[in-house]
Amino acid sequence: MADAGLKKSSKGIETSFRMAQLKAFFIVLLGMSQLWNAVLIGIGFLSFTLLFPLYSYLIMPLLLIILIVGYHAPVAGIMLSFVLLFPAIAYQTPVLAWLFMVPFAIMLFEVFTEWYLIAALLAIVAAPLAPEPMGSALGLAVIPILTLSALKLGSNKTAILLPFAVFVILLLSSFWQVENFAFLTISKSSFVNAEELQATKPVPELLEIPGAITGGLLDFLGEWSKAGKGIGYFLEAMMNVLFMDAGLVQIIGWTLAFYGVAYIPLMFPGGKMAQTIASLAVLILIPVHYLSAMISDVEPNIMIMAVSVVTIGLVALMDEWGFKLTSEREIVAEKRRQQFGMPGVVDLSVSATGPKSLDDVGGYESTEKELKESIIMPMKYKELSVVYGIRPPKGILLFGPPGTGKTLLMTALARELRIPFYYIKCSEILSQWYGESEKNVAELFKIARKNSPCVLFFDELDSIGKRRDRYSSDETTPRVLSSILTEMDGLKGDAQVIVVGATNVPDMLDPALLRPGRLDKIIYMPPPDENGRKEILEIYTRKLPLAGDVDLGKLSKKMERFTGADIANMVLEAARLAAPEAMEKRKVVPVTMDDFTRVLKTVKASVTFDMLEEYEKFRVDFERRGVREEIVSTEERKVTWGDVVGLDEVRKTLTEAIELPLLHEAELKEFQVKPAKGIIMFGPPGCGKTLIAKAAANELKATFISLTPADISRRGYDNAVSLIKETFNRARENAPAIIFIDEIESVTPARDYYQSKIMEDIVAQFLQEMDGMKELKNVVLIGATNQPQIIDKALLRPGRFDKIVFVGPPSKEGRIQIFKNYLAGIRGADSIDYEKLGDDTEGYTGADIAGICQEVKLKLVRSKIEGVAEPSLTQEMLDEALSRRPRSVTVKMLKEYLLFVKEYGERR
């Protein structure tokens, strides 16, 4: 049974691989536009040569030549077809050849731009009139050819093609007194009795063809006087077909049907089955055909129903396999784009690739929601502007690392809005001629206002928006930026032109560009978090055959700092590992977890930690959005008050320093109490000074700005003063804020410990910031140190560091709670004697206890690896670990801290 099931499964996999091969073959076949262009030209040539027989045995060689030429050069293929067809028409009907001169002349002028339209006309007009058995076969292809041509040509050209094609088919039917195979009806009373128009001459033998061609051309030239007679026949047939028969009804009906086929996809820009929905318009042909048959008094052809259904099925198959032929949106967009007169302008909203809506972009739910609320809602619901005065923002800046999806997100937004989204190549704006660049900018915004609503998207905005103080006065870029600023200021609310910029070096942008009224929204797009990465993985692996062991959640955890572009590349590389095996075994080989793991070992995230720090600084300074999103790394657990044990007094001090100015400002003014500016936390290493600062920032919803000695050394001591000034300014702008300086004694040492002028300037700058002219409102400076005696004495007076708090080793109760926190959830933790541990760890810091717990948990891991089924924690393990770890806090250290407290006191 198992073998039978395995064989059945194997057979299913082989079948699916064969189906994939077949699907791939048809997709490639449908995508070979050169081949189909040649086939269309070939059908037209073959149909006409059958209508006007001349070439006999040369038909197939000439058709092969036409196909080859048409494949490589469609224009040359059409011109060659006309050159070969003219002698055939002249040989059979010299009078008709004179009428043929009109389309021949039009072809010479229009073939270079409208070659597809001419090719389609040749095929459509001649195919349904060809003699049996070719005529009926080619006639059945008219509706599919017209459907595909309408999708490709667009509504405007279809409106030109259809009336002319239907009229010519009916006209030729009248001339030759025959019914056509294109489901176009004509009564016998509409036939024109003219023997000169009948192609009745015998087909010459192979060797007689040159003479027949010469004779036909001579007859054509000799009967030029009959051109007037031909015009008479034309007028008679036209009157019969249009006004005495159902010709006008059919022209109108067929034009409306195929105009709908061409236009309807514009109404469903994001729909997967948009072409199929549009092709339903061919069903209009059925009632039109029955109505015209009634007027012409002929029997209707029921095959029109089958051909219409087959045509719809063909288009549905194209949609199912993702083959897009419709070009209505591209045609409309191109007409608008051409108004700009700049080659660097591209409308991304009609791109064949990319997301169809914001829902197709994973990982940025809050940003997508904000864009929908601030842009889509005001544009779609005008009543919001009337009631609330809401208007779309003038400008949006997206900044973040490369590959996070800035362009992708805005493309999705434009598609959801169904408005033009013009991608501007900044290099095309710049010109070597003085004044030309500014003229380009003015013209760009002028045409954008005419085509509003629209989006102007400047990618790499920094290339033309760089700070003007970094250029000389005669350079072009500052003048271009000034022009852009002027144009943005000139955009009125009703213009609905949104300027969007994207950059990965936001600190290079000119401050004038960043103010509200120009860039109203400044949004940070960081690398996606764990959930975002999982969503992106789901999108990119949606169409891949995945093995059952693939865990996208586990993969997302391993991809910290990966951007969307990194994830796409990783998925592609994993698929490449499975592809060779699939080709070798001739069956679908699923992509396994091992494939993804192998790729992850060889690729690295494109975003560095340094980059994230720089972006975070800019974000804190400039980000503007409806509700500021809190960026929390899922890879790093958020520290809360629950992690802080035994430091209740310190916690109370910090809470008061942050909350009193915010929640009780009136009471502070009443009693003339100034909020605390600074807090010094001192004590032995490992007692939780840094931990409580992080918890305070998270719990009190304050901006947390960290400044370390490493930051100063990285900037260089020459730039240290400006770094300190920048840090305090950032905190003022983003109040309430906490500035945390770990190891503050290294940044502001007492003057006895240094002889450097630079260090003196650093200390002076700190003093200036804390009690200088600029008030520190809702900003608290927290310094942490384990050597408080080294700090410059001027900083320790009240009015600067108002609070001096000793953070000592935890009490017995605190030590017990720390043990419980770190051992929570471990098997056997309930049987531990925590009272004994509390007694035995007097003088241990929280970091010491965390190290002991880590050691015993690591021992459990080793036991599990060695084969123990359910290793359990025991008291002996903890006692053994405790015996090997000495106390961090010594009596000498405590005496030094006691002396410091005696000298400066402990101010809480």
Side-chain angles (χ1 to χ4, degrees), residues 63 90 162 238 345 361 380 400 409 415 486 493 566 636 640 649 752:
L63 177 61
L162 256 297
M238 181 178 71
V345 179
V361 180
K380 285 189 174 181
L409 188 68
R415 288 190 171 187
T486 303
D566 294 333
E636 182 180 342
T640 64
E649 286 297 322
D752 299 338

PDB file of all heavy atoms in Angstrom, residues 63 90 162 238 345 361 380 400 409 415 486 493 566 636 640 649 752:
ATOM      1  N   LEU A  63       5.102  33.372 -48.950  1.00  0.00           N
ATOM      2  CA  LEU A  63       4.584  33.488 -47.578  1.00  0.00           C
ATOM      3  C   LEU A  63       5.710  33.298 -46.562  1.00  0.00           C
ATOM      4  O   LEU A  63       5.787  34.025 -45.557  1.00  0.00           O
ATOM      5  CB  LEU A  63       3.485  32.445 -47.354  1.00  0.00           C
ATOM      6  CG  LEU A  63       2.889  32.407 -45.939  1.00  0.00           C
ATOM      7  CD1 LEU A  63       2.235  33.739 -45.587  1.00  0.00           C
ATOM      8  CD2 LEU A  63       1.887  31.255 -45.814  1.00  0.00           C
ATOM      9  N   ALA A  90      -3.753  44.052 -59.871  1.00  0.00           N
ATOM     10  CA  ALA A  90      -3.741  44.641 -61.214  1.00  0.00           C
ATOM     11  C   ALA A  90      -4.000  43.583 -62.277  1.00  0.00           C
ATOM     12  O   ALA A  90      -4.666  43.838 -63.287  1.00  0.00           O
ATOM     13  CB  ALA A  90      -2.408  45.345 -61.461  1.00  0.00           C
ATOM     14  N   LEU A 162     -12.155  49.495 -36.517  1.00  0.00           N
ATOM     15  CA  LEU A 162     -13.373  48.700 -36.664  1.00  0.00           C
ATOM     16  C   LEU A 162     -14.328  49.223 -37.737  1.00  0.00           C
ATOM     17  O   LEU A 162     -14.758  48.449 -38.612  1.00  0.00           O
ATOM     18  CB  LEU A 162     -14.085  48.594 -35.311  1.00  0.00           C
ATOM     19  CG  LEU A 162     -13.934  47.247 -34.599  1.00  0.00           C
ATOM     20  CD1 LEU A 162     -14.563  46.135 -35.421  1.00  0.00           C
ATOM     21  CD2 LEU A 162     -12.475  46.935 -34.341  1.00  0.00           C
ATOM     22  N   MET A 238     -21.471  51.617 -51.499  1.00  0.00           N
ATOM     23  CA  MET A 238     -21.520  52.273 -50.184  1.00  0.00           C
ATOM     24  C   MET A 238     -22.960  52.620 -49.811  1.00  0.00           C
ATOM     25  O   MET A 238     -23.395  52.397 -48.680  1.00  0.00           O
ATOM     26  CB  MET A 238     -20.659  53.536 -50.209  1.00  0.00           C
ATOM     27  CG  MET A 238     -20.634  54.281 -48.872  1.00  0.00           C
ATOM     28  SD  MET A 238     -19.585  55.734 -48.883  1.00  0.00           S
ATOM     29  CE  MET A 238     -20.580  56.807 -49.920  1.00  0.00           C
ATOM     30  N   VAL A 345      11.058  61.018 -17.652  1.00  0.00           N
ATOM     31  CA  VAL A 345       9.790  60.878 -16.933  1.00  0.00           C
ATOM     32  C   VAL A 345       9.140  59.551 -17.308  1.00  0.00           C
ATOM     33  O   VAL A 345       8.928  59.267 -18.481  1.00  0.00           O
ATOM     34  CB  VAL A 345       8.839  62.043 -17.270  1.00  0.00           C
ATOM     35  CG1 VAL A 345       7.511  61.868 -16.541  1.00  0.00           C
ATOM     36  CG2 VAL A 345       9.477  63.370 -16.890  1.00  0.00           C
ATOM     37  N   VAL A 361       2.001  45.013  -0.417  1.00  0.00           N
ATOM     38  CA  VAL A 361       3.300  45.391   0.143  1.00  0.00           C
ATOM     39  C   VAL A 361       3.308  44.965   1.599  1.00  0.00           C
ATOM     40  O   VAL A 361       2.496  45.448   2.397  1.00  0.00           O
ATOM     41  CB  VAL A 361       3.561  46.902   0.021  1.00  0.00           C
ATOM     42  CG1 VAL A 361       4.926  47.263   0.605  1.00  0.00           C
ATOM     43  CG2 VAL A 361       3.485  47.329  -1.436  1.00  0.00           C
ATOM     44  N   LYS A 380     -10.437  60.589  -2.690  1.00  0.00           N
ATOM     45  CA  LYS A 380     -11.624  59.848  -3.111  1.00  0.00           C
ATOM     46  C   LYS A 380     -12.909  60.424  -2.542  1.00  0.00           C
ATOM     47  O   LYS A 380     -13.962  60.357  -3.172  1.00  0.00           O
ATOM     48  CB  LYS A 380     -11.490  58.369  -2.696  1.00  0.00           C
ATOM     49  CG  LYS A 380     -10.530  57.575  -3.558  1.00  0.00           C
ATOM     50  CD  LYS A 380     -10.619  56.095  -3.237  1.00  0.00           C
ATOM     51  CE  LYS A 380      -9.763  55.271  -4.185  1.00  0.00           C
ATOM     52  NZ  LYS A 380      -9.851  53.816  -3.910  1.00  0.00           N
ATOM     53  N   GLY A 400      15.128  55.953   4.527  1.00  0.00           N
ATOM     54  CA  GLY A 400      15.481  54.667   5.122  1.00  0.00           C
ATOM     55  C   GLY A 400      16.532  53.979   4.284  1.00  0.00           C
ATOM     56  O   GLY A 400      16.938  54.479   3.222  1.00  0.00           O
ATOM     57  N   LEU A 409       6.337  51.029  -2.380  1.00  0.00           N
ATOM     58  CA  LEU A 409       5.182  51.487  -1.603  1.00  0.00           C
ATOM     59  C   LEU A 409       4.441  52.604  -2.335  1.00  0.00           C
ATOM     60  O   LEU A 409       3.212  52.607  -2.409  1.00  0.00           O
ATOM     61  CB  LEU A 409       5.649  51.977  -0.230  1.00  0.00           C
ATOM     62  CG  LEU A 409       4.555  52.321   0.777  1.00  0.00           C
ATOM     63  CD1 LEU A 409       3.812  51.070   1.197  1.00  0.00           C
ATOM     64  CD2 LEU A 409       5.147  53.011   1.994  1.00  0.00           C
ATOM     65  N   ARG A 415      -1.201  53.097  -7.826  1.00  0.00           N
ATOM     66  CA  ARG A 415      -2.106  52.144  -8.477  1.00  0.00           C
ATOM     67  C   ARG A 415      -3.435  52.069  -7.747  1.00  0.00           C
ATOM     68  O   ARG A 415      -4.483  51.903  -8.366  1.00  0.00           O
ATOM     69  CB  ARG A 415      -1.451  50.773  -8.535  1.00  0.00           C
ATOM     70  CG  ARG A 415      -0.318  50.714  -9.533  1.00  0.00           C
ATOM     71  CD  ARG A 415       0.126  49.304  -9.741  1.00  0.00           C
ATOM     72  NE  ARG A 415       1.069  49.224 -10.839  1.00  0.00           N
ATOM     73  CZ  ARG A 415       1.531  48.100 -11.348  1.00  0.00           C
ATOM     74  NH1 ARG A 415       1.126  46.957 -10.872  1.00  0.00           N
ATOM     75  NH2 ARG A 415       2.386  48.111 -12.336  1.00  0.00           N
ATOM     76  N   THR A 486      10.191  76.849  -4.865  1.00  0.00           N
ATOM     77  CA  THR A 486       9.246  77.860  -5.322  1.00  0.00           C
ATOM     78  C   THR A 486       7.992  77.217  -5.901  1.00  0.00           C
ATOM     79  O   THR A 486       6.865  77.656  -5.630  1.00  0.00           O
ATOM     80  CB  THR A 486       9.907  78.759  -6.381  1.00  0.00           C
ATOM     81  OG1 THR A 486      11.088  79.350  -5.832  1.00  0.00           O
ATOM     82  CG2 THR A 486       8.957  79.854  -6.833  1.00  0.00           C
ATOM     83  N   GLY A 493      -4.084  74.009  -2.910  1.00  0.00           N
ATOM     84  CA  GLY A 493      -4.709  72.788  -2.414  1.00  0.00           C
ATOM     85  C   GLY A 493      -5.514  72.052  -3.453  1.00  0.00           C
ATOM     86  O   GLY A 493      -5.604  70.825  -3.443  1.00  0.00           O
ATOM     87  N   ASP A 566      16.610  42.352   0.156  1.00  0.00           N
ATOM     88  CA  ASP A 566      17.437  41.234   0.626  1.00  0.00           C
ATOM     89  C   ASP A 566      16.632  39.937   0.667  1.00  0.00           C
ATOM     90  O   ASP A 566      17.116  38.871   0.278  1.00  0.00           O
ATOM     91  CB  ASP A 566      17.994  41.529   2.028  1.00  0.00           C
ATOM     92  CG  ASP A 566      18.977  42.683   2.035  1.00  0.00           C
ATOM     93  OD1 ASP A 566      19.608  42.920   0.991  1.00  0.00           O
ATOM     94  OD2 ASP A 566      19.098  43.347   3.073  1.00  0.00           O
ATOM     95  N   GLU A 636      15.040  42.462  20.136  1.00  0.00           N
ATOM     96  CA  GLU A 636      15.499  42.892  21.454  1.00  0.00           C
ATOM     97  C   GLU A 636      14.297  43.087  22.352  1.00  0.00           C
ATOM     98  O   GLU A 636      13.435  43.917  22.077  1.00  0.00           O
ATOM     99  CB  GLU A 636      16.293  44.207  21.311  1.00  0.00           C
ATOM    100  CG  GLU A 636      16.847  44.710  22.622  1.00  0.00           C
ATOM    101  CD  GLU A 636      17.624  46.003  22.426  1.00  0.00           C
ATOM    102  OE1 GLU A 636      18.004  46.309  21.293  1.00  0.00           O
ATOM    103  OE2 GLU A 636      17.840  46.699  23.426  1.00  0.00           O
ATOM    104  N   THR A 640      11.027  46.694  30.879  1.00  0.00           N
ATOM    105  CA  THR A 640       9.911  47.324  31.594  1.00  0.00           C
ATOM    106  C   THR A 640      10.247  47.412  33.080  1.00  0.00           C
ATOM    107  O   THR A 640      11.276  46.898  33.549  1.00  0.00           O
ATOM    108  CB  THR A 640       8.620  46.517  31.404  1.00  0.00           C
ATOM    109  OG1 THR A 640       8.790  45.217  32.007  1.00  0.00           O
ATOM    110  CG2 THR A 640       8.298  46.347  29.922  1.00  0.00           C
ATOM    111  N   GLU A 649      12.865  53.148  45.049  1.00  0.00           N
ATOM    112  CA  GLU A 649      13.117  54.558  45.311  1.00  0.00           C
ATOM    113  C   GLU A 649      13.664  55.266  44.072  1.00  0.00           C
ATOM    114  O   GLU A 649      13.272  56.394  43.757  1.00  0.00           O
ATOM    115  CB  GLU A 649      14.118  54.692  46.482  1.00  0.00           C
ATOM    116  CG  GLU A 649      13.544  54.386  47.842  1.00  0.00           C
ATOM    117  CD  GLU A 649      12.438  55.362  48.228  1.00  0.00           C
ATOM    118  OE1 GLU A 649      12.565  56.562  47.912  1.00  0.00           O
ATOM    119  OE2 GLU A 649      11.431  54.914  48.807  1.00  0.00           O
ATOM    120  N   ASP A 752      41.152  67.712  37.931  1.00  0.00           N
ATOM    121  CA  ASP A 752      42.413  67.163  38.430  1.00  0.00           C
ATOM    122  C   ASP A 752      42.892  65.992  37.586  1.00  0.00           C
ATOM    123  O   ASP A 752      44.053  65.601  37.651  1.00  0.00           O
ATOM    124  CB  ASP A 752      42.236  66.678  39.882  1.00  0.00           C
ATOM    125  CG  ASP A 752      41.848  67.820  40.809  1.00  0.00           C
ATOM    126  OD1 ASP A 752      42.127  68.988  40.443  1.00  0.00           O
ATOM    127  OD2 ASP A 752      41.253  67.548  41.867  1.00  0.00           O
TER     128      ASP A 752
END
